[in-house]
């Protein structure tokens, strides 16, 4: 049996067949009576000592009680203040009359009739008076006095501690009183003394202190998982500026200059401008009349000044098109996960900035069917097995498609947009092969995966959310079925 | 996006198919069902298809899609004998006029609602809020042809719709609800556009309001349409979409003579497209015959003319067909997106992470190794958080947005530290210690680059902690630095330092100034580090500038 040092010391001071009170033991052990009780309880739990618990009640007079013990109870004093009979009106002038009259009457010492108080002659010593003299002998008088607030009851628990037969057996065998070791020291470890040391045992029942490791944000973890997926699928990552010219953000993507997205209520415009790049004329012509393609273009006006104005990028497609311009030869497979901006009123499902994931594939002979293939593969790897495709519309893709994934409890959820770049987008830059492109609002995936109700929680971090969200979560948790 | 209300009764009558069948297939035609109600459904259509902004237009497309009626819908236009003149004075104001006469119409309540919804949606999608195109529909029987579209004195008066007294056009702009809403389009012109009849009665003050005189009701049988605007193509598209919808609603379309020409013609256009090009775009082999059959279901007329080419006749209401691929998308929709076999292309490429992102990942693993928790603050912030509360001057090259949504989002962050301190403020009731870091984009002088920032809040946080973290980061990221005196007011004097790399400041560290702590309602010391990641060896140069 593993006993703590304190438990052993207690057994040591207990002689067989003797009962001890804690104070005596405490003096012997050089500790407090409370500690002795605590150790005794532990030993009692192991069946080595017997703890008798006695509750003693004592009574003490209150201040008022001691006064009456000297001078007599109010009813006795009142009774002695008159002879025979007295008008009630006179008796009430006595300072003790308020308590005394009722008590005299209750005890049958007086009768009250027609305003006169008259002694009955039955004036025996009451139980209260007896108790007042000897409070120790308990009884009815004592409890009456307690009720009247003249006595107070005090309870005292006394312990008597003795060895059980098992305890005696252990004591007989002798106990090693060497101190137990908590933390091992360097000397104990390298010197070998650990072999003989009593090592304190710790309780599994005591829960550990909660510590929070440093960690990557749960949302970033999802973004990293997406990056990893795309890298595994052979995509190269691209990165670029948050600030783009309207030319690269809109015009190069064949968004007409009077398109609603280009109005100040939808996009964050900046006062800064940057010159349009060489070759902008081909983009202008594409807008005006379709350039050298079978397109009619948008017609109307196309102004360089409008193309020069800077914006906070509304999509990362502005980076994709610039990458294509500098890499016009196939094959190209690139992706980007970056912050994009929309001038939206902020609420639980709309933010002015959020992450977008974008991927493009440019190669000889790639088709719309391949686009659907890449989408299905990516969503599948993100844990969304049920994927379907619906027609969509984006100014720079044709055909356009809106992928949807199936989420248990929500049904089909729209998951971004995709399409094949229009010829009007790639022709100005000599890109001769089809470009498959897709964009995904990744914060939506994060909300589904993390079970969030409010998009703002991703960015305006409650650190308890980070602390309490497990680092490793099975990927298929929020996903749907086919 | 345009949300169109489709009443089942009217829709079923026009399509000849029950509403369940229609609703099941509608999304695969290219729409989002917003709300399904007892007697109607609200559906959102793409802005590229304004011809679907009416029940009549949707019914026409659904009939083809469901195979009830295929091919090009026929629209016959008779001359009305009515003429309309355009005042040359409008050339610099609102030059283009489109028009038509619709006879023998009988509009029930649902048809009137559909027409009003169409007009509204066209104003938005095609008309760009009436500036590019505005539409007026009139009861023809209350006015006398010929009509004139003129540039009139601003003080000319007439009784506008919904009023019972004459008002001058200037007064309308000031007091009529529609006048106030659209005043910006015309208010700077010396004269205003006006449409009048032979007796000089006012039909309309485009693009603001019609006259009460020609109000359309359920009793109206003959209509006059006007579309005015600044873009001829859009003006004519609006006429075509309205006339075909009204013809489907039972009207006879008649043309009007405008300065020698006749409007509308409702004539289709043609394109000669390649079935091979279509096949290689979609990844499914279609013969010219197969392609033609698909297109007929999308209400084109299509005829194979060789072993490759198909002559496609495009209905006049299709404003979105700019390129052959627009037609191929329709073939894909007719084929059914659900019928494509999704398959990855054999394109061989090797994946590669971007160095900037690889460095950011390294910082993240360092941050968590140091016991810090990552946060991802917004990049839009305010001068108050970035500068006044931080006791720092506004750095040169700070990017402010022109039309911020609110006072909290006026500029793009130039650093991340203030946002981390703000995050500590949001979390001031949470358990200590709090050690947070963030890595991400900042913008200065239009250039986007990455910074990393670390904060540690607890009763014993001090300069030494900040210095130790800064040193550890630099060592781990192979940044050769020296520490120099810093003048950064966000930190306590004598408890702050700059990280100097090749003689220039690449970062700051130290103990945050108590006045800054007060400004962010923090009650314990904060040790902080911020570093410009461009000094990490291997960070690519020349990035992030537009």
């Amino acid at each position: 049996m593993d006993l703590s040092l304190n438990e052993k010391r207690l057994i040591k001071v207990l002689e067989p067949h003797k009962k001890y009170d804690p104070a005596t033991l405490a003096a012997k052990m050089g500790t407090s009576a409370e500690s002795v009780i605590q150790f005794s309880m532990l030993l009692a739990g192991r069946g080595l000592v017997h703890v008798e618990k006695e509750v003693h009640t004592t009574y003490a007079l209150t201040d008022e009680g001691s006064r009456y013990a000297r001078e007599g109870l109010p009813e006795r004093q009142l009774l002695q203040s008159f002879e025979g009979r007295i008008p009630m009106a006179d008796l009430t002038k006595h300072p003790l009359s308020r308590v005394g009259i009722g008590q005299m009457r209750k005890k049958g010492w007086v009768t009250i009739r027609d305003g006169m108080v008259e002694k009955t002659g039955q004036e025996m010593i009451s139980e209260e008076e007896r108790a007042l003299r000897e409070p120790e002998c308990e009884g009815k008088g004592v409890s009456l006095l307690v009720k009247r607030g003249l006595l107070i009851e005090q309870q005292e628990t006394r312990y008597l501690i003795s060895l059980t037969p098992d305890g005696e057996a252990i004591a007989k065998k002798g106990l090693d009183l060497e101190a137990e070791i908590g933390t091992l020291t360097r000397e104990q470890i390298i010197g070998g003394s650990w072999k003989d040391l009593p090592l304190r045992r710790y309780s599994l029942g005591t829960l550990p202190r909660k510590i929070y490791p440093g960690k990557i944000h749960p949302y970033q973890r999802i973004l990293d998982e997406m990056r990893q997926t795309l890298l595994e699928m052979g995509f190269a990552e691209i990165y670029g500026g948050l600030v783009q010219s309207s030319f690269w953000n809109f015009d190069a993507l064949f968004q007409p200059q009077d398109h609603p997205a280009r109005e100040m209520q939808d996009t964050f415009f900046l006062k800064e401008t940057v010159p349009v790049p060489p070759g902008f004329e081909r983009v202008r012509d594409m807008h005006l009349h379709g350039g050298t393609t079978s397109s009619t273009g948008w017609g109307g006006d196309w102004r360089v000044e409008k193309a020069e104005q800077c914006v906070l990028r509304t999509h990362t497609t502005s980076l994709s098109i610039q990458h294509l311009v500098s890499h016009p030869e196939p094959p190209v497979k690139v992706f980007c996960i970056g912050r994009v901006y929309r001038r939206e009123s902020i609420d639980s499902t709309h933010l002015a900035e959020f992450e977008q994931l974008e991927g493009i594939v440019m190669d000889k002979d790639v088709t719309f069917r391949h686009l659907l293939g890449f989408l299905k593969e990516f969503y599948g790897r993100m844990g969304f097995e049920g994927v379907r495709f619906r027609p969509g519309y984006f100014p720079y893709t044709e055909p356009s498609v809106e992928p949807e994934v199936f989420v248990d409890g929500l049904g089909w959820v729209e998951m971004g947009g995709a399409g094949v770049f229009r010829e009007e987008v790639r022709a100005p830059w000599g890109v001769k092969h089809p470009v498959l492109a897709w964009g995904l609002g990744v914060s939506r995936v994060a909300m589904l995966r993390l079970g969030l109700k409010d998009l703002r929680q991703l960015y305006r971090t409650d650190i308890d959310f980070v602390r309490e969200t497990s680092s490793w979560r099975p990927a298929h948790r929020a996903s749907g079925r086919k | 996006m345009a949300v169109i209300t489709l009443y089942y009764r009217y829709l079923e009558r026009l399509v000849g198919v029950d509403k369940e069948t229609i609703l099941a297939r509608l999304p695969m035609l290219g729409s989002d069902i917003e709300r399904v109600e007892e007697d109607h459904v609200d559906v959102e259509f793409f802005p590229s298809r304004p011809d679907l902004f009416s029940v009549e237009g949707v019914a026409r497309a659904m009939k083809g899609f469901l195979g009830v009626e295929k091919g090009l819908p026929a629209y016959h236009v008779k001359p009305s004998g009515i003429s309309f003149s355009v005042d040359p004075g409008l050339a610099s104001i609102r030059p283009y006029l489109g028009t038509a006469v619709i006879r023998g119409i009988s509009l029930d309540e649902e048809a009137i609602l559909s027409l009003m919804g169409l007009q509204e949606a066209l104003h938005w999608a095609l008309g760009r809020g009436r500036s590019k195109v505005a539409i007026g529909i009139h009861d023809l029987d209350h006015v006398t042809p010929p009509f004139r579209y003129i540039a009139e004195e601003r003080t000319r008066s007439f009784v506008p719709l919904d009023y019972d007294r004459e008002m001058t056009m200037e007064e309308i702009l000031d007091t009529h609800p529609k006048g106030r809403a659209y005043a910006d389009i015309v208010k700077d012109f010396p004269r205003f556009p006006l449409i009048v009849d032979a007796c000089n009665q006012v039909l309309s003050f485009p693009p603001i309001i019609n006259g009460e005189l020609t109000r359309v009701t359920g009793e109206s049988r003959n209509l006059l349409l006007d579309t005015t605007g600044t873009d001829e193509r859009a003006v004519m598209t609006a006429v075509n979409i309205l006339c075909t919808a009204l013809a489907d609603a039972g009207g006879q379309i008649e043309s009007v003579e405008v300065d020698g020409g006749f409007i509308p013609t409702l004539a289709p256009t043609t394109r000669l497209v390649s079935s091979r090009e279509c096949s290689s775009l979609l990844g499914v082999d279609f013969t010219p015959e197969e392609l033609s059959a698909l297109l007929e279901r999308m209400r084109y007329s299509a005829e194979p003319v060789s072993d490759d080419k198909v002559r496609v006749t495009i209905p006049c209401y299709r404003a979105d067909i700019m390129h052959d691929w627009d037609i191929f998308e329709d073939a894909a929709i007719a084929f059914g997106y659900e019928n494509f076999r999704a398959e990855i292309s054999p394109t061989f490429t090797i994946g590669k992470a971007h160095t900037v992102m690889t460095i950011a990942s390294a910082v993240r693993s360092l941050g968590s190794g140091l016991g810090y928790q990552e946060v991802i603050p917004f990049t839009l912030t305010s001068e108050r958080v970035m500068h006044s509360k931080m006791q720092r001057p506004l750095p040169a090259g700070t990017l402010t947005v022109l039309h911020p949504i609110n006072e909290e989002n006026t500029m793009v962050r130039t650093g991340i530290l203030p946002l981390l301190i703000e995050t500590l403020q949001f979390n001031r009731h949470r358990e200590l210690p709090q050690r947070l870091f963030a890595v991400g984009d900042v913008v200065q002088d239009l250039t986007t680059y990455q910074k990393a920032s670390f904060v540690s809040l607890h009763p014993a946080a001090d300069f030494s902690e900040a210095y130790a973290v800064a040193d550890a980061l630099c060592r781990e990221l192979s940044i050769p630095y020296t520490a120099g005196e810093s003048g950064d007011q966000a930190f306590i004097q004598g408890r702050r330092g700059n990280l100097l790399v090749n003689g220039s400041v690449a970062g700051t560290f130290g103990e945050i100034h108590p006045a800054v702590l007060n400004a962010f309602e923090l009650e314990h010391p904060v040790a902080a580090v911020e570093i410009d990641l461009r000094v990490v060896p291997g960070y690519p140069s020349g990035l992030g500038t537009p």
Side-chain angles (χ1 to χ4, degrees), chain A residues 98-203:
Chain A
R98 219 161 46 85
V99 185
I101 293 175
Q103 286 290 346
M104 287 193 302
R105 195 173 165 192
K106 209 166 141 193
K107 293 187 163 72
W109 292 350
V110 297
T111 57
I112 301 167
R113 195 175 298 130
D114 304 330
M116 291 300 290
V117 181
E118 190 173 353
K119 292 188 182 179
T120 59
Q122 309 283 318
E123 301 165 8
M124 302 88 83
I125 300 288
S126 66
E127 297 212 30
E128 282 131 294
E129 284 166 307
R130 249 196 300 281
L132 202 56
R133 280 203 291 272
E134 296 166 19
E136 290 76 25
C137 58
E138 303 198 17
K140 196 180 168 203
V142 170
S143 55
L144 286 171
L145 288 181
V146 169
K147 247 183 238 164
R148 288 176 72 174
L150 305 181
L151 274 184
I152 46 170
E153 196 176 81
Q154 290 168 329
Q155 284 197 335
E156 190 190 341
T157 309
R158 289 188 197 148
Y159 294 92
L160 285 175
I161 299 155
S162 56
L163 284 174
T164 62
D166 283 352
E168 281 171 27
I170 286 201
K172 236 179 249 168
K173 272 194 266 170
L175 291 161
D176 180 2
L177 291 190
E178 224 179 322
E180 282 184 317
I181 301 300
T183 307
L184 285 162
T185 65
R186 177 176 179 273
E187 287 70 26
Q188 288 162 346
I189 293 168
I190 63 172
S193 66
W194 57 268
K195 291 174 193 155
D196 307 315
L197 292 174
L199 298 181
R200 184 186 305 151
R201 294 176 62 95
Y202 294 96
S203 162

Side-chain angles (χ1 to χ4, degrees), chain A residues 229-401:
Chain A
T229 300
L230 287 160
L231 291 170
E232 285 168 7
M233 288 170 72
F235 285 77
E237 188 173 32
I238 57 175
Y239 170 81
L242 300 178
V243 180
Q244 296 290 333
S245 64
S246 289
F247 182 82
W248 289 121
N249 195 76
F250 296 121
D251 294 285
L253 293 165
F254 201 55
Q255 254 170 295
Q257 291 200 330
D258 68 351
H259 192 277
R262 301 187 64 162
E263 286 171 18
M264 68 157 217
Q265 58 263 37
D266 288 332
T267 297
F268 286 113
F269 284 96
L270 307 168
K271 60 181 183 304
E272 288 77 5
T273 58
V274 292
V276 289
F280 82 91
E281 300 88 348
R282 295 190 298 272
V283 169
R284 176 199 61 200
D285 292 351
M286 200 57 75
H287 280 249
L288 292 176
H289 51 71
T292 54
T293 69
S294 74
S295 176
T296 60
W298 294 109
D301 282 343
W302 191 89
R303 293 189 303 117
V304 166
E305 306 83 68
K306 211 165 158 64
E308 286 175 336
Q309 189 173 16
C310 287
V311 299
L312 294 180
R313 66 188 184 200
T314 61
H315 46 197
T316 45
T317 320
S318 49
L319 302 181
S320 301
I321 182 65
Q322 289 175 79
H323 183 85
L324 280 174
V325 169
S326 54
H327 300 81
E329 293 305 321
V332 170
K333 266 166 74 183
V334 294
F335 79 98
C336 171
I337 300 177
R339 199 70 62 96
V340 298
Y341 300 82
R342 303 281 163 88
R343 197 175 171 283
E344 296 233 36
S345 319
I346 297 167
D347 61 33
S348 62
T349 55
H350 297 89
L351 296 178
E353 53 177 306
F354 50 91
E355 268 70 27
Q356 191 184 38
L357 180 153
E358 162 119 354
I360 58 169
V361 176
M362 184 267 278
D363 197 8
K364 287 176 189 147
D365 305 327
V366 291
T367 71
F368 181 63
R369 208 156 57 73
H370 295 133
L371 171 67
L372 304 185
F374 279 108
L375 290 168
K376 206 166 172 160
E377 177 70 21
F378 177 76
Y379 288 116
R381 284 172 180 241
M382 290 310 297
F384 298 106
E385 281 168 19
V387 183
R388 74 171 187 183
F389 303 107
R390 290 200 303 114
Y393 169 74
F394 308 99
Y396 44 94
T397 54
E398 197 74 26
S400 303
V401 52

Side-chain angles (χ1 to χ4, degrees), chain B residues 240-456:
Chain B
N240 291 343
I241 289 171
L242 284 156
C243 285
T244 50
L246 286 164
D248 289 352
Q252 165 63 49
I253 310 301
E254 296 183 357
S255 64
V256 177
E257 187 192 336
V258 180
D259 294 341
F262 287 88
I263 303 175
T265 64
L266 303 187
T269 53
T270 61
R271 267 181 186 265
L272 197 61
V273 303
S274 158
S275 59
R276 279 187 211 121
E277 188 182 351
C278 178
S279 301
S280 65
L281 171 65
L282 301 180
V284 179
D285 283 335
F286 294 125
T287 63
E289 289 72 21
E290 287 166 338
L291 177 59
S292 300
L294 290 172
L295 293 178
E296 291 270 336
R297 286 182 52 207
M298 299 303 283
R299 309 312 305 263
Y300 298 91
S301 156
E303 176 195 3
V305 291
S306 72
D307 63 349
D308 175 36
K309 298 287 184 186
V310 173
R311 188 189 314 283
V312 182
T313 310
I314 304 157
C316 65
Y317 52 78
R318 286 299 296 268
D320 59 316
I321 306 300
M322 302 169 64
H323 186 279
D324 294 352
W325 284 19
D326 294 305
I327 293 171
F328 299 156
E329 180 182 63
D330 272 358
I333 292 171
F335 181 69
Y337 276 23
E338 68 275 33
N339 296 320
F340 282 92
R341 195 163 48 80
E343 183 183 67
I344 285 187
S345 76
T347 306
F348 177 76
T349 49
I350 291 171
K352 188 178 187 309
H354 196 279
T355 308
V356 169
M357 293 299 145
T358 308
I359 290 171
S361 293
V363 173
R364 287 191 185 100
S365 67
L366 277 174
S368 36
L370 288 165
Y372 284 64
Q373 286 176 355
E374 188 186 17
V375 295
I376 308 181
F378 287 118
T379 56
L380 288 172
T381 180
S382 64
E383 285 85 351
R384 218 159 52 86
V385 170
M386 286 301 288
H387 306 297
S388 49
K389 285 173 132 185
M390 290 295 287
Q391 308 196 101
R392 284 170 162 176
L394 201 71
T398 298
L399 201 62
T400 55
V401 298
L402 282 181
H403 306 284
I405 337 163
N406 55 34
E407 286 178 5
E408 280 85 55
N409 296 280
T410 54
M411 57 169 286
V412 184
R413 68 188 185 190
T414 52
I416 305 178
L417 179 58
L419 293 141
L420 282 188
I421 296 180
E422 193 186 30
T423 306
L424 290 174
Q425 182 182 17
F426 302 148
N427 285 285
R428 62 188 187 281
H429 305 302
R430 297 298 185 203
E431 196 179 314
L432 300 184
Q434 292 180 8
R435 293 193 171 91
L436 308 179
F437 79 98
V439 51
D441 288 338
V442 301
V443 178
Q444 206 159 3
D445 294 321
L446 295 186
T447 300
T448 303
Y449 62 96
Q450 296 240 311
K451 276 188 177 178
S453 187
F454 292 69
V455 292
S456 173

